[in-house]
Amino acid sequence: MARTDEDNESPTRHTTPTGTAPPDRPPAPGTAAPAARMPRWLPRAMVLALALIATFQLGSWAFHQLTGLLINILIAFFLALAIEPAVSRMAARGMRRGLATFLVFLGLTIVVAGFVTLLGSMLAGQIIKMVEGFPEYLDSLIHWINETFHTQLRRVDVQEGLLHSDWLRKYAQNSAAGVLDVSAQVLGGLFQLLTVGLFSFYFAADGPRLRRALCSVLPPARQAEVLRAWEIAVDKTGGYLYSRGLMALISGIAHYILLQALGVPYAPVLGVWVGLVSQFIPTIGTYLAGALPMLIAFTVDPWYAVWVLVFVVVYQQFENYMLQPKLTAKTVDIHPAVAFGSVIAGTALLGAVGALIAIPAVATLQAFLGAYVKRYAVTDDPRVHGHRRGPGGPGLIARVRRLWDGRPGPGLEESS
């Protein structure tokens, strides 16, 4: 009987005892493996990752675009904290909080406008005086150059050389082109000032409502912590402002008396300038404040500028070691090194704004941490007071003093 194809294939087939198909053999070398299926969670994970990256990029872009607005809000918040004590005191006497805030802002506006007006008139007068006396200064300079270097310069030649120089022409062109930039900066500054004023007015006038809105989303225990932190911030910021204002008043009066005694013009305005700049511009405010009175005094008599410099240095030492510790002991009592470091850090983060708000912010943080950090009694150890003790017991001087007094050393006491 002839063999069929099924008989030929039968020897190569193997079945398992249960009748199931045998497992697939691994692919032979050189042949392509079947494609693996994508896990079901992978598309969702990819979409979620892309959504998170897009959200982060959008948030970063929005933050960079709103940095200026956030800085203005921060300045307004600290300004509102500074005037909070005055507004609350007026509101406690029956005055509406909005009216009290308006009166405080009106007083600040009048003071700032008056100071700017007086300072502008002083600078304008000095500029006019310098322009009128410029020919005399130029003649004296030319005369000194001719006598020193044996030249034959004339004022007319110098003036014509300046008028026809390329440097003056380029400077005039650049100045004309920069007028629009200056105008844009002035308008931008006015807009920022208006923004800060509006936000600070709302923060001060609606302070209780803002606190209620913030506490309404917190549990009772957290509400007490937030209100306590708010109270500490108000006390420290307001205390910083008022203590600095008092020191500015004392400094302004002292410098006014000196300038008036020397006969320096615009003594009242210069006194106000020194008081405000030296107190409200950290670290370098004293040097900036003293430069302008020295310059004005130099136009009267060069020796007057030296006297002003000496007085500024002496008064600064008196303020640092006598006046400031007494006035700021209960308001902004922070170490000078901490204050200096906070000003540098604030300047690096927010520029001039950070330098202005760094000290009250650090004082608030220090007071808040001091209210929760547990303190312990310090052990009575000489090393606490800066007296070091060597590993071998008392030093040579201590041992010699013991022998001189007739007292045995620690080792002799033990042996006896």
Side-chain angles (χ1 to χ4, degrees), residues 178-192:
V179 170
L180 295 177
D181 296 336
V182 173
S183 301
Q185 292 179 0
V186 170
L187 292 177
L190 292 176
F191 180 75
Q192 290 182 358

Side-chain angles (χ1 to χ4, degrees), residues 409-416:
L412 297 178
E413 290 179 352
E414 295 176 358
S415 63
S416 62

Side-chain angles (χ1 to χ4, degrees), residues 8 12 25 29 38 55 89 91 105 254 320 333 335 339 347 350 367 377 412:
N8 294 333
T12 62
R25 295 180 179 180
M38 180 183 297
T55 304
R89 192 174 296 112
F105 269 91
N320 291 337
D333 188 15
H335 195 273
T347 304
L350 299 176
L412 297 178

Side-chain angles (χ1 to χ4, degrees), residues 50-192:
L50 292 176
L52 290 177
I53 294 174
T55 304
F56 176 78
Q57 294 292 336
L58 181 61
S60 177
W61 172 81
F63 178 78
H64 286 293
Q65 294 295 324
L66 298 176
T67 301
L69 178 60
L70 295 177
I71 292 176
N72 292 335
I73 293 176
L74 183 63
I75 299 173
F77 180 72
F78 273 94
L79 181 59
L81 292 179
I83 66 174
E84 176 74 19
V87 174
S88 298
R89 192 174 296 112
M90 297 172 67
R93 295 181 179 180
M95 185 179 297
R96 295 179 58 184
R97 193 173 182 88
L99 180 59
T101 307
F102 173 76
L103 292 178
V104 172
F105 269 91
L106 181 62
L108 290 176
T109 303
I110 292 174
V111 171
V112 173
F115 172 71
V116 172
T117 302
L118 293 176
L119 184 63
S121 62
M122 180 197 69
L123 292 178
Q126 290 299 316
I127 291 174
I128 293 174
K129 184 178 180 181
M130 291 177 62
V131 171
E132 292 178 351
F134 180 75
E136 297 181 2
Y137 297 148
L138 186 59
D139 289 337
S140 62
L141 179 62
I142 291 175
H143 180 71
W144 179 80
I145 293 175
N146 290 334
E147 288 186 352
T148 304
F149 300 101
H150 305 287
T151 57
Q152 300 295 328
L153 293 177
R154 294 184 305 171
R155 188 176 70 182
V156 178
D157 298 336
V158 175
Q159 290 177 350
E160 290 182 355
L162 289 175
L163 292 175
H164 296 87
S165 62
D166 295 335
W167 173 82
L168 183 61
R169 179 175 55 81
K170 293 180 180 179
Y171 179 78
Q173 292 177 355
N174 294 332
S175 300
V179 170
L180 295 177
D181 296 336
V182 173
S183 301
Q185 292 179 0
V186 170
L187 292 177
L190 292 176
F191 180 75
Q192 290 182 358

